[in-house]
Each structure stands twice: as structure tokens, then as C-alpha cells.
Amino acid sequence: MRVTIADVARNAAVSKTTVSRVLNGKGEVDSETADRVRAVIAELGYVPSSRAVGLARGHSRTLAMLVPSLTWPWVGEVLQGVADTVEAAGYGLLLFTCNRGEVSMAQFTSQVSARAFDGVLVIEPENTLRSIALLHRQGLPMVLVDDRGQRPDFPSVSTTNAEGAAAAASHLLTTGRRAPLVITGPRHFGCVQDRLTGFVGVLREHGVTQPVSRVAEGDFTVRCGQTVVERALSEGVAFDSVFAHNDLSATGALHALRSAGRRVPDDVAVIGFDDIPIAAYTEPPLTTVRQPMRAMGVAAARRMLDHLGGVVPLEAGPTVLPTEFVIRSSAPG
């Protein structure tokens, strides 16, 4: 049977509060009593709950991570970077998903109230900004990963979205492609705005206009990439390349082009964004803009741990990591 703090208190003839004070070095306990309590702890082999000790000291040595869903293709890479960093620092990690909307957020908020963790890393679930912002204003240490809404009031970790998209545009122009079809993500995401701005900006610098007919808003799914390309083909939109704002949409574009008898890259070049594992195994393998997902998780966890350890304050503003352009067969050089 597990030895409890009550067992220690009874055998040492003191209160549980006194035992707690000895364990945590808080409050005034005379040396004779403290020695007696420590002797009983050693005799009984009592091991205090790390969580209980942490809470008594004002911290839990646990971080939380809030994500939309584990089905997102790159969440696992970010999570692995976080887990590696947190574990190496001797912290625990609690994972919360937001699969059930308000119910999930209510459960998460209850854990904040219970002081179950010292800070939270957030890949922002849809329609949760108000709740997240309130918790942040109330003092919960927080770092956003992939700051999709460009909110300077939050500490965040992001990548060079505009520069990555600019590299994609430059590559297409260099290889003679001047009529790209762009499949964006939801327009209210900051990363989507940055990618579109970076891409169109390079085209404009080279005298290439991007008509509205060749820009379609998507939702980052395979299906949307396929649907956009199918619609463009049926409506007679002329395009010699596709730039999709994520690899899943680019994969859908590849499927649609193949079904329509269009050769990739001979007829149409295709470029994605993210470099998720499947990108190297599509047919043909996908040229894409690599986001350093695992490094983003490491950077977010490091910012939080440095704050909790008193190394540097957790100030608003982004830590920006560079993207990398990866050339494969769907848009060769």
C-alpha cells in the first residue's frame, strides 16, 4: 500500500501541514521537528507526489499544449519538437485537442483554473481566439505556434511565409511558368495573407499580373485542391502551374490533373507548402516550401521554459524560423 502524507504525519506526531512545510521548505518548523519528520519519511519510504509538491511551491513543472486535432498532418512534428524539449527539461506535458468545440475548451479552461500546468503552447483551434485571449490577459503564460492571425500581442513562433512563397514564384518564373493557379487557405489566416502577398509580389516585380480568376480560396484539404483544379479546367481557365498553400491541396491538384490527362510537370508544374512526409511520395514527388515544424515546436517550448526558469521574460512578438525551398519532380529546376 502506498505511503501517504497522513501516514508520515501520524508517525511523526505532527499535522499534515507541518509535513508539507518540511517537504517544501516553507513556513517556520523548528529543527527538531523537521528532523523527526525527515526521519519518518526515510523510515516509511514516503515519496511525495511531484505534482503536489509543485503546486505547493506555486508551479507544477508541467506544460500544456492545445491543438485543433491530431489529424492535422504537421501537428505531430510540432508536438514531437515540444515533447523532446519539455522532457529534456524535466517537465511533463498535457495534450488537449479541440475536437468538440466549446466542450473541449471548457475542459481545457477547467484545467487552467485547477493550476494543472504552468503555461500553454497553442496551435490555435478554429473559433477559440476569444477564450485564448482572455486566458492570456488573465496571466496564463502562452506561446502560439504558427501565428495564423498575425496577433502581435501574443508571443509566437512562425516561419517566413512570404519569403517561402516568393521563392516558389521565382522558381516558376525561372522555369518559364507565367500563368500560375493559386490555391490559398482560408483568407483570414495571417500565413495565407503572407503567402499570397509574397507570391504575387514577385510576379508583379517581373511584370506578371495575377488575375482573380487564377486565385481560389481553399481550406487546406486534398479535396479542395482537387475541386479547384477541376473547376478551373472546366471553366477554361488557362494556367501552366499550380501553387497550393499546403501540400494536401497540392496533392489534390495532382490527382485532378492526372484524371484530366494533364502531365505533371510537362503540361502543368505543381508546388505545395509545408513539406509533410507524403510530399516526397506523391506521383510525381512534390516540389514544396518546407516549414521547420519540429524546430517550431522546439522554439515554442524553449521560449516558455526560459520564461518559467527566469532566463528571459515572455514578451509579445514572434520568433521567426526560415523556410526552405525543396525542388522535386512536380516542378523541376
Side-chain angles (χ1 to χ4, degrees), residues 23 80-81 100 121 139 142 157 160 176 181 222 236 242 259 268 319 332:
L23 288 169
Q80 190 63 60
R100 295 183 294 160
L121 311 176
M142 183 178 297
V157 174
T160 51
L181 173 66
V222 172
V242 174
S259 297
V268 181
T319 296

Side-chain angles (χ1 to χ4, degrees), residues 150-169:
Q150 296 177 311
R151 284 173 292 278
D153 292 339
F154 287 83
S156 65
V157 174
S158 61
T159 56
T160 51
N161 286 291
E163 292 83 349

Side-chain angles (χ1 to χ4, degrees), residues 82-97:
V82 169
D84 290 345
T85 307
V86 167
E87 180 181 347
Y91 272 66
L93 182 65
L94 295 175
L95 178 63
F96 297 88
T97 62

